[in-house]
Structures are given as C-alpha cells and as structure tokens.
Amino acid sequence: MKSIFHCIDAHTCGNPVRLIKKGGPELIGETMSEKRQHFLRKYDWIRKGLMFEPRGHDMMSGSILYPPHNPENDFSILFIETSGCLPMCGHGTIGTVTITIEEGLVKPKTPGKIRMEAPAGLVEIEYQQTGKKVDWVKLTNVKSYLAAVGLTVKLNYLGEITFDVSYGGNFYAIVDAQKNFKGVHKHTASDLVRFSQEARKKINNKYPDMFVHPENETIKDVSHMLWTGKPIDSASSGRNAVFYGDKAIDRSPCGTGTSARMAQLYAKGKLNIGEAFIYESFIGSKFIGRIEEETLINGKKAIVPSVQGWAKVYGYNTITIDSDDDPYAFGFQVI
C-alpha cells in the first residue's frame, strides 16, 4: 500500500516541526481527544513512518490539521512525534501556527488571533506578522498544575534524586539542582538522555497510576523529564533540558514544559502572576512564559500559562510510505 504525504518543515527555536499539509487520515470522534484515540488505534503507522528513521530522526516532531468541532474555533490539531501522539505540544503549536499563517493554510476568523482545538483542550493563540513573515506566536495553554512534590527515585548513574511532578499539557518529572544532580550546565546531552531513560521508567514503575489528569483519564503517567540548571544568559530566568521519546532532548525550551515549570514555581511561591519567565533550552534558545491567571482544576489550584516563541519555515517535501515496496516503510529506531 502506497500513501503520499505533502509536508512543510520548520523549526521552533531549534526543534523540528513537520506539518502534514495533505495526506492525513480521516478520524472519528466528537473532540480531538477522541480523534487522538482513533489515530492511535488505527493510524499510528503514519506517525512512525513520518517521524522515525529513515524519513525522520530521533527528535522529529509533527502535526496534522483538522477542521474545528466548534464553528467559533479556527482549526483542530493532532500532534505526532517520536514519543507518541501528544495531548498538547507548545513548540509544535508555535511552529504549526507559523506555517499555517505564512503558507495561507488557515485564514483566522480574527486576524492576529487563533482558537485551536488540541486533544488536551482549547488553546487560544496570538501572533504578530510583518509582511508574509510571522514574528512570534504566543499561546495561552491549557490549565497547568503541580501534581506531586518531593518524590524520590534511586538511579544507577546518580543515586537517589528528589523530584516534583507538574502538568503543563503533559506530565513532567522536574529535577532541580540537588546533592546528586548539580544542574544541566554540569552535564552533556548524552548524560541527560542516559539519566532520563532510567529515571522515567523507574518513576512510572514506582508510582503507578498516580499521575492521571482529573478531567481526561487518557492523559496519564510521566511522559517527559525536565532537568533544570543555570542559564547561559544571566538575564534569563532559568534553563532546562526536556527529555521526550526514547532518546530526545528538546532543542527548544519546550512549551508544555515551560508551563509545567511555571505551575511548579507558582505553587511554591517562586513566581508571580504576570511576571516574565524567560526560559532557555539546552542550546540557549528562549521562550517567554507568563502566568496569566490563577484558576482551579478539579478543585485544585492551577494556573493559566502563556508561552511565546518563534519558528522558521525551511523546507517542502513529499514523502511516500509504501509497505509493498519498502521494508522500512513504517520506520525504525537504532538506539
């Protein structure tokens, strides 16, 4: 069977975004959350074929656009990447919005603003455009909250570490500098990948069924590790390295990770509403985060975070997946 996908490639502050412009499957469901489940049941081969080698790589991330379910909204989105089909992706949103506006794929109902339906919920977006170029995209993310504090896990490489778990569209185990971990500035990306592979597995084994979204039970478990440390630029608020998939370190500061980090800091009294939170990625690129307001989720204190960043479109391609001809049609991973 031969399938053809028309794609536009971009990167958000260094991390890839591949938008599937044409070739995405028709999905069944009343919401993007339901359609995400349909995609996972029947079409996950598309994700693997387009994200994994040889058509993608370990850090590859992408998206597929769908019509909105509510006519007041502009479009719906499905996020696909090497780690799976995510409920929400901040860098993916910034990259996708940049592509859709610059390429004329979507005409917003209100210029400069977009209402986007993600599997995790409604995301409201602002953007600034100069000529044909999008200068920046700011997304008001889903409600984010601190889910657990002071948990521990013992690792072979580091010994025992203490971490918090926070939700920003995905669940993050956040590791701050401590006795057995001095910060991201003290380690290579390879070190962090090695630590993360062990840590995430042990965390989910030690704390099974502890992290489930109170309003959507399909969003569960720690999917990302977030390691913090000193920023490269002293004017920045902090720096992180976010691990996702099997061996990827986010080249961007990570939008849902930035949201989860702000929720953690706010709950601990270390970040105020409206205060600019300039967050660096492992390579030094930056997002500007803000807590827009305090809110509740299932009676628990939460925040409404915003994240602003930029993206650049750099390529156009047509990709074929032909299982009758190519033994590696559905992709592979080496490590």
Side-chain angles (χ1 to χ4, degrees), residues 93-95 97-98 101-102 112-113 125-130 133-139 288 307-312:
T93 296
I94 293 169
V97 168
T98 298
I101 297 302
E102 290 189 358
K113 296 185 178 181
I125 297 161
E126 300 174 48
Y127 64 90
Q128 178 176 288
Q129 187 176 10
T130 302
K133 292 291 184 179
V134 174
D135 303 314
W136 52 260
V137 175
K138 177 183 176 182
L139 62 102
I288 302 172
V307 179
Q308 180 179 321
W310 53 266
K312 300 297 178 182

Side-chain angles (χ1 to χ4, degrees), residues 267-330:
K268 293 187 171 186
K270 297 180 179 180
L271 186 65
N272 299 318
I273 294 174
E275 181 181 349
F277 182 69
I278 303 172
Y279 215 21
E280 289 182 357
S281 69
F282 190 74
I283 66 171
S285 56
K286 301 174 185 179
F287 282 165
I288 302 172
R290 276 191 175 82
I291 298 170
E292 298 296 331
E293 61 180 282
E294 182 181 306
T295 186
L296 294 174
I297 185 166
N298 199 36
K300 185 180 180 69
K301 186 165 72 172
I303 65 167
V304 175
S306 68
V307 179
Q308 180 179 321
W310 53 266
K312 300 297 178 182
V313 178
Y314 63 80
Y316 306 83
N317 55 67
T318 301
I319 300 175
T320 60
I321 297 178
D322 189 349
S323 57
D324 294 329
D325 179 64
D326 185 354
Y328 301 124
F330 302 132

Side-chain angles (χ1 to χ4, degrees), residues 1-54:
M1 180 184 69
K2 184 176 182 179
S3 299
I4 301 174
F5 302 90
H6 299 270
C7 307
I8 302 174
D9 284 352
H11 73 86
T12 300
C13 293
N15 216 50
V17 180
R18 172 172 287 167
L19 172 63
I20 291 80
K21 175 182 175 181
K22 185 178 179 182
E26 292 187 15
L27 299 177
I28 298 172
E30 297 299 318
T31 66
M32 279 314 298
S33 181
E34 292 179 3
K35 288 181 176 177
R36 171 176 174 255
Q37 297 305 311
H38 182 214
F39 182 91
L40 287 169
R41 289 193 303 269
K42 190 171 181 181
Y43 296 108
D44 204 39
W45 61 268
I46 295 175
R47 176 186 69 85
K48 293 176 180 177
L50 295 177
M51 300 292 106
F52 289 170
E53 295 182 64

Side-chain angles (χ1 to χ4, degrees), residues 163-194:
F163 63 94
D164 298 341
V165 173
S166 191
Y167 176 80
N170 305 287
F171 282 106
Y172 287 78
I174 302 178
V175 186
D176 284 305
Q178 56 193 271
K179 178 182 177 182
N180 291 334
F181 175 69
K182 303 305 181 183
V184 294
H185 53 288
K186 295 291 186 180
H187 296 280
T188 66
S190 296
D191 289 338
L192 296 168
V193 168
R194 187 167 66 251

